Amino acid sequence: MNKKDLVKKTRAYALKNAIVYSGKAQQGAVISALFNEGLKKQDVKKYIKKISEIVKKINSLSLDEQKKEFGKLEGEVSKRKVREGLPELPNAKKGKVVMRIAPSPSGAFHIGHAMTACISFNFVMKYGGKFYVRIEDTNPDNIYTKAYKLIEQDSKWLFNNKAKIVIQSGRMEIYYKYAKKFIEKKAAYICTCSGDKFREYSKEKKNCPCRKLSVKENLERWENMISKKGYKPGEAVLRFKSNMKHKNPAMRDFPLARINLTPHPLQKKKYRVWPLMNLAVAVDDIEMKMTHIIRAKEHRDNSERQKMIYNVLKKKFPWTGFLGRWKFKDMELSSRKFTEGIKEGKYSGWGDERLPTIQALKKKGYKPSAFWKFSENIGLSESDKTIDKDEYFKLLNSFNKN
Ligand SMILES: [Zn+2]
């Protein structure tokens, strides 16, 4: 903050404080407001005389005069607290922060991806460590093949070549190894009950009969699941042994892996058993030694499930922060919709300038640092926000200039 700004802000906050406290501003309150505005602690000494002078002068005015003056300076007072730089990340050690983002292969990055992804990226850059872009493609039914290349290109640009890209479907043997390990530790079992039957057990808080099978029987069932002549899709699922009386029904013996015969764009027909999100995510986070996770708050239940998986292996669960949802009043951020539009010829491609994609914005002259700064400004907040397109781009433009 330069001196001119400081004088203006000091006057504004002193007036505001004075009006609240019958005409007498408190110097301490004014200084803490200035910290929120970006005043550095080490600069207080340099400016303290000036600040005192201003506060004194304002306190000598009448309340009416103060109100009149404040009317002119009101714009200097932030409506919300402004933080300078990133907040501290709990338990972060210099050079040892490992974080990830986990996009699904549904399209190129749009501004919604950039907003959340850059929060984790910023922290890794701040402390030093590793940053992974992990493409979650273990559901063969839900893959847009071009997304692999698109995500790779966008990641290179947005994260300045500093992200390591990992594709989950290339790690199947690791998930299989863990699946067997969980069976051996009696933390998982293979359930051959129908979906309806299992839901009934869950509702009645009863164990399904498969739960008490021996490790040997479960390992046989596992072989049967992965073998080509074995169970058919829907006939068997690998389940985590949590607790069938868990107060949250969604936590009761949740599934870890299932059979899906849809050919996978990269693995073709090599695998028939696919890990579900909670297995693949927990295993990767363990293997990649994740230290911190920042994710959308709708993943709170998944976080709980993954914590249970960590506990089986007596591993310490990463520090986890949740983010609120950002909604645009006048714009829909949906990779699926954009893909459809491109297929129908409504858009020329992912770089079509009407799309809020990273590719399109890159063409318009936006730099990666604009997105980093935008995310720095958001920080870690669990509250939902609604903004409109104009507001978003006004902010992004201001960060693109600096
Ligand atoms: Zn069962």
Side-chain angles (χ1 to χ4, degrees):
M1 200 191 290
N2 62 37
K3 196 166 172 190
K4 205 176 136 215
D5 279 347
L6 180 104
V7 169
K8 234 193 294 175
K9 299 264 183 217
T10 307
R11 280 180 56 80
Y13 279 108
L15 286 163
K16 186 184 171 210
N17 194 251
I19 293 164
V20 176
Y21 293 103
S22 339
K24 296 290 169 230
Q26 307 297 309
Q27 185 170 307
V30 175
I31 292 173
S32 53
L34 292 170
F35 283 149
N36 282 331
E37 288 284 2
L39 176 68
K40 302 257 183 322
K41 282 215 167 70
Q42 64 264 32
D43 287 338
V44 173
K45 228 174 150 183
K46 192 163 83 188
Y47 292 130
I48 187 75
K49 232 179 115 191
K50 188 78 208 162
I51 295 170
S52 286
E53 249 175 58
I54 297 170
V55 172
K56 224 166 149 186
K57 212 165 154 193
I58 280 165
N59 285 348
S60 72
L61 301 173
S62 72
L63 194 54
D64 279 342
E65 284 169 318
Q66 287 169 346
K67 282 179 182 164
K68 213 173 118 200
E69 283 298 300
F70 186 62
K72 294 181 214 159
L73 283 168
E74 211 166 348
E76 294 298 321
V77 175
S78 317
K79 293 279 183 292
R80 62 193 181 99
K81 278 189 179 176
V82 175
R83 182 181 16 79
E84 191 62 7
L86 283 173
E88 293 298 319
L89 199 55
N91 318 321
K93 291 196 183 86
K94 274 249 166 299
K96 298 221 182 317
V97 169
V98 185
M99 297 181 79
R100 43 79 166 175
I101 56 159
S104 54
S106 54
F109 284 159
H110 54 60
I111 53 175
H113 294 113
M115 215 166 351
T116 47
C118 290
I119 295 177
S120 298
F121 177 71
N122 280 339
F123 280 119
V124 176
M125 291 303 111
K126 173 177 170 160
Y127 292 101
K130 276 188 202 147
F131 180 68
Y132 289 99
V133 172
R134 200 169 65 204
I135 302 178
E136 300 200 330
D137 66 336
T138 59
N139 177 2
D141 286 328
N142 213 0
I143 298 170
Y144 172 64
T145 309
K146 287 183 183 148
Y148 292 102
K149 196 96 225 155
L150 292 166
I151 292 174
E152 198 187 319
Q153 282 167 357
D154 286 347
S155 297
K156 273 188 183 155
W157 184 80
L158 189 57
F159 310 123
N160 215 9
N161 285 316
K162 292 201 169 76
K164 187 171 164 37
I165 295 175
V166 177
I167 296 172
Q168 283 192 320
S169 64
R171 301 168 57 79
M172 293 294 283
E173 304 300 333
I174 302 172
Y175 308 131
Y176 281 16
K177 189 184 90 187
Y178 274 84
K180 279 175 94 168
K181 199 190 251 183
F182 293 134
I183 293 173
E184 281 157 7
K185 285 185 173 292
K186 295 185 180 159
Y189 62 97
I190 287 155
C191 174
T192 55
C193 305
S194 70
D196 285 344
K197 196 79 205 155
F198 186 83
R199 269 187 291 277
E200 221 172 89
Y201 291 132
S202 171
K203 220 171 159 186
E204 291 163 5
K205 298 182 183 176
K206 275 188 194 153
N207 292 343
C208 89
C210 318
R211 211 181 199 268
K212 57 176 195 299
L213 293 177
S214 68
V215 170
K216 191 171 163 278
E217 282 166 302
N218 268 312
L219 287 173
E220 278 165 18
R221 283 188 170 191
W222 173 252
E223 289 308 317
N224 203 348
M225 248 179 117
I226 56 176
S227 101
K228 291 225 152 55
K229 287 187 188 109
Y231 296 117
K232 292 186 182 68
E235 284 183 354
V237 280
L238 179 70
R239 286 192 182 281
F240 185 77
K241 220 181 253 187
S242 60
N243 179 357
M244 288 301 277
K245 293 183 175 63
H246 197 291
K247 61 181 191 302
N248 178 356
M251 296 295 156
R252 293 173 197 158
D253 288 12
F254 54 88
L256 295 174
R258 59 164 186 169
I259 300 169
N260 186 335
L261 302 182
T262 306
H264 188 278
L266 302 184
Q267 302 300 331
K268 313 296 176 201
K269 289 180 173 176
K270 192 169 172 193
Y271 302 103
R272 64 198 311 271
V273 174
W274 292 93
L276 290 158
M277 187 230 188
N278 285 302
L279 176 62
V281 166
V283 167
D284 283 343
D285 286 344
I286 289 169
E287 287 273 312
M288 293 169 190
K289 300 190 166 57
M290 225 50 76
T291 60
H292 297 77
I293 297 169
I294 293 172
R295 58 190 349 184
K297 68 179 178 189
E298 54 258 39
H299 280 301
R300 218 180 275 277
D301 276 357
N302 284 323
S303 247
E304 274 315 301
R305 295 185 184 103
Q306 289 154 27
K307 207 177 271 176
M308 292 179 189
I309 298 175
Y310 263 72
N311 286 344
V312 173
L313 302 171
K314 300 195 165 57
K315 300 271 182 196
K316 189 174 168 271
F317 196 68
W319 180 90
T320 305
F322 294 99
L323 293 175
R325 199 180 243 284
W326 277 67
K327 236 184 108 186
F328 283 88
K329 268 184 227 154
D330 47 359
M331 180 167 55
E332 201 190 0
L333 294 178
S334 157
S335 299
R336 199 179 45 79
K337 284 249 165 86
F338 300 158
T339 314
E340 276 169 18
I342 291 166
K343 273 186 193 155
E344 290 163 6
K346 196 170 146 198
Y347 303 116
S348 60
W350 288 96
D352 189 304
E353 59 176 50
R354 289 165 293 170
L355 288 173
T357 55
I358 295 306
Q359 276 191 30
L361 296 176
K362 181 175 148 184
K363 273 203 226 158
K364 287 182 184 167
Y366 286 93
K367 294 179 216 67
S369 57
F371 297 97
W372 307 343
K373 289 201 189 104
F374 193 104
S375 293
E376 188 177 301
N377 197 255
I378 305 173
L380 287 171
S381 168
E382 284 192 36
S383 51
D384 294 333
K385 284 180 199 72
T386 309
I387 55 169
D388 55 45
K389 216 169 146 179
D390 266 5
E391 207 180 329
Y392 172 84
F393 281 104
K394 235 181 244 166
L395 257 173
L396 193 67
N397 291 344
S398 74
F399 295 130
N400 203 42
K401 270 184 214 130
N402 302 329

